[in-house]
Amino acid sequence: MNTATCKALCTQSWKDLYQAAMCESNVNKLPERIADAETALIMRARELFYTSGDRFEEEESLDDAMCVLNALRSSLKRRPSAIHSASGSDSSRSA
């Protein structure tokens, strides 16, 4: 990920990026949305690690969101049409 992308993710809430991934209907854009949300989640988790105070609810929300994104990514890998679209290869060649 380049620096400009990282800075853009820092200014955007992890919740917004998570919501964008969850609402993305274009299978070709979904992997990028998932990756952006995961990056924002990790960055926020690191921020929380270094701050004092009780942030248990947000930490739990971050964990839940990461699990959902992982499940979404896994479901994409099992969809032949998503794999075909994302890789740009012709599935008829593999026969």
Side-chain angles (χ1 to χ4, degrees), residues 54-74:
D54 184 18
R55 310 251 193 220
F56 179 75
E57 287 183 26
E58 187 176 5
E59 289 171 356
E60 191 172 89
S61 295
L62 287 167
D63 287 342
D64 291 345
M66 189 61 83
C67 288
V68 171
L69 290 172
N70 285 332
L72 185 57
R73 183 186 306 279
S74 293

Side-chain angles (χ1 to χ4, degrees), residues 40-93:
L41 286 165
I42 292 166
M43 290 169 52
R44 181 60 181 152
R46 286 181 183 161
E47 287 174 7
L48 292 178
F49 181 79
Y50 290 107
T51 61
S52 61
D54 184 18
R55 310 251 193 220
F56 179 75
E57 287 183 26
E58 187 176 5
E59 289 171 356
E60 191 172 89
S61 295
L62 287 167
D63 287 342
D64 291 345
M66 189 61 83
C67 288
V68 171
L69 290 172
N70 285 332
L72 185 57
R73 183 186 306 279
S74 293
S75 70
L76 264 181
K77 290 178 181 178
R78 288 191 296 266
R79 289 184 63 189
S81 60
I83 293 169
H84 171 70
S85 298
S87 69
S89 64
D90 186 356
S91 61
S92 63
R93 288 184 192 167

